[in-house]
């Protein structure tokens, strides 16, 4: 190779040495940086906070820049929650549990109204739904400021009563006395003590959580069960595996009966 040819070769290599890093730099620039975390959080608790990623932490642990809880501990924790009733004894863990995508679906919560009036808007996100839903409501309170149960932070979709549906039920119950019976009594016995009869075809109207909660305490729980004594409420001193204080309804309409009874329940009866 001639001297001039070798010099030209070195010049090309030198030029490529400048160009190649520029191309690498451009590729790295295209990759960009990971988007920084940024969270919304609950504001109700004095000591604990739940963020919109389903984490719970104490207020002092909250990251000041991102407003997120540290990535440690259990995500979507249901600590202190009854998963059957979907009610918790802590607001923050109620929100955390509710945020689990396996329990609360966005396509369902965006159809739920924030308040009962027809003009009320709907929830815009799962976090908005959980943060709003888990606050205790009037259905959880007796005697102005006393709660039915310590599990008064609930996120169940089904606990939102439809005003129109309840109005229709009340219309169909005109002329019917809805009576909470004594422990162990059948509806036949309950109505007989009043000089009335149990109206069998009205039992299905009472076999609904929203209706039972109007007449019974239900302790924040309304559970599907199977028994001829339903709709009914489990008495407080029942064995723990029977869910004391919970209301029970049956999904099998053919089991509804006026003569059914159970030693640990109080029936809700239609008498006339």
């Amino acid at each position: 190779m001639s001297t001039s040819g070798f010099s030209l070769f070195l010049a090309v290599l030198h030029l490529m040495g400048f160009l190649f890093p520029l191309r690498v730099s451009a590729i790295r620039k295209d990759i960009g940086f990971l988007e920084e975390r940024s969270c919304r959080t609950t504001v109700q608790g004095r000591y604990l906070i739940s963020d919109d990623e389903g984490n719970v932490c104490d207020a002092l642990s909250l990251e000041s820049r991102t407003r997120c809880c540290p990535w440690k501990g259990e995500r979507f924790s249901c600590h202190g929650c009854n998963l059957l009733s979907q009610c918790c004894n802590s607001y923050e863990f109620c929100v955390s549990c509710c945020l689990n995508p396996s329990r609360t679906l966005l396509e369902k919560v965006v159809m739920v109204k924030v308040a009962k009036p027809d003009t009320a808007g709907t929830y815009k996100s799962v976090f908005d739904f959980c943060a709003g839903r888990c606050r205790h409501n009037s259905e959880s309170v007796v005697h102005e400021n006393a709660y039915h149960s310590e599990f008064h932070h609930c996120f169940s979709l089904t606990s939102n009563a439809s005003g129109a549906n309840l109005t229709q039920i009340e219309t169909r119950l005109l002329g019917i006395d809805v009576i909470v019976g004594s422990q162990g009594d059948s509806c036949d016995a309950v109505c007989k003590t009043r000089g009335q009869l149990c109206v069998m075809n009205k039992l299905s109207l009472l076999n609904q959580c929203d209706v039972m909660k109007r007449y019974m305490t239900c302790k924040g729980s309304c559970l599907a069960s199977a028994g001829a004594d339903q709709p009914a409420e489990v008495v407080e001193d029942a064995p723990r595996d029977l869910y004391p204080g919970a209301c029970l309804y049956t999904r099998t309409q053919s089991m509804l009966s006026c003569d059914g009874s159970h030693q640990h329940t109080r029936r809700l009866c239609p008498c006339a």
Side-chain angles (χ1 to χ4, degrees):
M1 182 182 290
S2 65
T3 303
S4 59
F6 182 73
S7 299
L8 179 60
F9 178 71
L10 289 178
V12 171
L13 288 177
H14 185 67
L15 181 62
M16 290 180 66
F18 282 106
L19 292 177
F20 186 69
L22 289 176
R23 291 183 66 188
V24 172
S25 175
I27 292 173
R28 290 177 63 85
K29 187 175 182 180
D30 289 342
I31 292 174
F33 296 98
L34 292 175
E35 186 176 346
E36 187 177 39
R37 290 177 74 199
S38 178
C39 298
R40 297 174 62 195
T41 63
T42 57
V43 295
Q44 181 165 331
R46 180 181 299 178
Y47 304 109
L48 295 177
I49 286 177
S50 177
D51 66 26
D52 59 4
E53 294 181 346
N55 302 298
V56 177
C57 62
D58 61 80
L60 295 177
S61 299
L62 195 69
E63 296 177 358
S64 59
R65 185 161 46 87
T66 64
R67 303 298 296 169
C68 298
C69 286
W71 273 328
K72 62 180 182 180
E74 182 184 357
R75 193 180 180 195
F76 307 129
S77 173
C78 296
H79 176 72
C81 298
N82 182 327
L83 296 183
L84 288 174
S85 64
Q86 294 186 316
C87 293
C88 311
N89 59 14
S90 162
Y91 172 69
E92 290 74 27
F93 282 105
C94 177
V95 174
S96 171
C97 189
C98 172
L99 284 170
N100 191 327
S102 68
R103 294 189 180 90
T104 310
L105 301 177
L106 177 62
E107 56 264 34
K108 289 189 176 182
V109 303
V110 295
M111 300 174 63
V112 178
K113 289 185 177 296
V114 177
K116 289 184 178 180
D118 293 337
T119 55
T122 57
Y123 290 102
K124 303 300 182 185
S125 70
V126 174
F127 180 75
D128 288 334
F129 169 83
C130 295
R133 195 69 163 180
C134 283
R135 292 191 182 95
H136 41 254
N137 53 52
S138 58
E139 293 179 2
S140 302
V141 180
V142 290
H143 305 309
E144 297 183 353
N145 60 359
Y147 294 110
H148 290 317
S149 165
E150 63 175 331
F151 295 90
H152 54 263
H153 300 285
C154 305
F155 58 89
S156 171
L157 278 165
T158 57
S159 66
N160 227 7
S162 166
N165 183 49
L166 285 175
T167 300
Q168 293 173 4
I169 291 174
E170 289 171 351
T171 300
R172 294 174 64 185
L173 287 172
L174 287 175
I176 301 294
D177 293 329
V178 179
I179 309 298
V180 178
S182 299
Q183 179 177 346
D185 280 352
S186 68
C187 280
D188 279 338
V190 171
C191 296
K192 186 176 181 179
T193 60
R194 300 171 54 86
Q196 296 176 308
L197 296 174
C198 171
V199 185
M200 174 70 180
N201 63 4
K202 298 297 183 180
L203 279 170
S204 60
L205 298 177
L206 305 183
N207 187 49
Q208 303 179 51
C209 292
D210 292 333
V211 177
M212 282 190 278
K213 287 178 180 178
R214 287 202 161 195
Y215 298 95
M216 295 168 152
T217 301
C218 296
K219 292 292 185 182
S221 300
C222 188
L223 313 176
S225 184
D229 62 309
Q230 291 143 28
E233 181 179 52
V234 183
V235 295
E236 291 286 349
D237 60 355
R240 292 190 63 181
D241 62 333
L242 296 182
Y243 301 101
C247 285
L248 306 176
Y249 69 95
T250 180
R251 289 177 175 161
T252 308
Q253 297 290 312
S254 60
M255 294 191 72
L256 294 172
S257 165
C258 282
D259 61 2
S261 64
H262 191 284
Q263 61 176 327
H264 293 301
T265 64
R266 302 164 64 224
R267 295 202 62 180
L268 187 63
C269 304
C271 301

